[in-house]
Amino acid sequence: MRLHEVSGATETIEAAPAKINLALHVTGQRADGYHLLETLVTFTEAGDVICIRDAAADSFSISGPFGDLLSDGGDNLVTRARDTLRDALTLTGQPARPVGIHLEKNLPVASGIGGGSADAAATLRGLLRHWGAIIAPENLASLALELGADVPMCLASRPLIARGIGEDIEVLTDLPELAMVLANPLKAVSTPEIFRRLQNKVNSHLPAHSTTGWMDFLAQSRNDLQPPAQSLLPEIGEMTGLLSAEGATLVRMSGSGATCFGIFHSFDAALNAETSLRKKRPGWYFQATRTI
């Protein structure tokens, strides 16, 4: 994340790291239908990138390996984040001049690793820097939640445990860096359908992380959405098998899928696994990365 000059105009660049649900427990359901979760989340060096420049009028454009799967017109989370933040700042008398926003879409779309939410959160962070604006943390958190349940987590972009519908965040300071490979068959799964197929809406809570090492914690936890997601998309089971065969010490689906991750003992091992997996499934997405 940095500021630099491009063609005489200041450009603000903000990373939108992939969000990885290392564990996800569904612990209940509210009367309004929202599911209650407890999830251990971390973020990776792999991710999208938001670029912001001053402009005569607002504009939005997209590039990157998965950019052609998104529309650069109409309603999307990036432009909604821009407009919502501008409205909030205008109420406090802070200027929010027109900007051109460019999204470099490096992550698969609708893949359970926070892509759209991460992009919206990066837009909020980047615009606050670009505009030199100030907003109360509680107001920013409320604004982020208005955009989506995952946006507050992505706004933090630090290891955390989230509870409720994702708004109750506990930042972690002792989660170690993890080397991993992300895998996706480039097929989407329906999050609403996954929740409909979830047989038990009230499951056990996350184990107490203060009394155990993190790998033991992960071994004792799970992703409650993985079985219904795998029933919709059998490739999820194939991915976890492939990652295990490459030597991953722990393999799991992230979020509502279909991205899976395998944790490796070193980044070099993750790179070797990525190379091998790309040869085995050349039409799929594989990315070696580290958590941040």
Side-chain angles (χ1 to χ4, degrees):
M1 304 177 188
R2 62 194 186 278
L3 287 173
H4 62 90
E5 297 294 318
V6 178
S7 301
T10 301
E11 183 179 44
T12 302
I13 298 180
E14 187 78 24
K19 174 185 69 68
I20 307 300
N21 297 88
L22 295 172
L24 193 160
H25 293 204
V26 180
T27 59
Q29 188 172 17
R30 300 194 319 194
D32 61 5
Y34 279 96
H35 290 82
L36 300 175
L37 311 173
E38 287 190 357
T39 179
L40 172 62
V41 172
T42 191
F43 294 83
T44 73
E45 293 175 351
D48 297 337
V49 181
I50 291 286
C51 302
I52 303 168
R53 299 182 69 183
D54 288 341
D58 285 337
S59 64
F60 176 60
S61 58
I62 309 174
S63 66
F66 299 100
D68 59 351
L69 301 178
L70 297 175
S71 169
D72 57 5
D75 184 53
N76 62 74
L77 274 173
V78 169
T79 56
R80 282 175 57 198
R82 176 199 65 203
D83 296 343
T84 304
L85 180 60
R86 176 180 281 137
D87 289 345
L89 294 175
T90 300
L91 290 174
T92 64
Q94 298 183 75
R97 59 193 182 275
V99 287
I101 302 178
H102 182 79
L103 167 62
E104 182 183 299
K105 191 65 186 169
N106 299 315
L107 299 176
V109 176
S111 57
I113 50 179
S117 297
D119 297 340
T123 300
L124 294 176
R125 292 192 305 267
L127 283 173
L128 285 171
R129 290 196 298 119
H130 192 82
W131 285 333
I134 299 173
I135 186 170
E138 62 273 18
N139 293 340
L140 182 60
S142 177
L143 188 154
L145 185 60
E146 179 184 334
L147 292 168
D150 283 354
V151 180
M153 294 180 243
C154 294
L155 190 62
S157 282
R158 297 174 59 187
L160 56 88
I161 289 178
R163 299 178 177 88
I165 63 170
E167 82 288 0
D168 181 5
I169 291 174
E170 173 192 352
V171 174
L172 303 172
T173 58
D174 59 342
L175 189 69
E177 178 186 281
L178 301 171
M180 61 176 58
V181 173
L182 308 181
N184 189 290
L186 300 184
K187 292 184 179 180
V189 287
S190 166
T191 298
E193 180 61 26
I194 289 169
F195 276 103
R196 277 193 292 269
R197 292 190 178 211
L198 183 64
Q199 294 184 354
N200 190 355
K201 304 297 178 73
V202 183
N203 301 283
S204 63
H205 293 258
L206 289 173
H209 64 279
S210 60
T211 60
T212 183
W214 281 112
M215 290 309 293
D216 288 338
F217 174 94
L218 289 175
Q220 296 170 30
S221 61
R222 60 189 185 273
N223 183 345
D224 287 329
L225 300 183
Q226 186 167 339
Q230 191 167 322
S231 72
L232 278 173
L233 188 66
E235 285 90 339
I236 291 170
E238 187 178 352
M239 278 188 295
T240 58
L242 287 168
L243 288 164
S244 294
E246 294 294 333
T249 56
L250 184 133
V251 174
R252 188 166 288 157
M253 188 183 81
S254 176
S256 58
T259 301
C260 295
F261 63 88
I263 297 175
F264 289 81
H265 63 81
S266 70
F267 186 55
D268 283 342
L271 286 171
N272 290 335
E274 177 195 347
T275 300
S276 175
L277 289 164
R278 285 181 182 273
K279 292 177 181 177
K280 292 177 180 177
R281 296 292 185 278
W284 290 10
Y285 168 87
F286 297 104
Q287 179 66 60
T289 187
R290 287 174 285 223
T291 60
I292 56 178

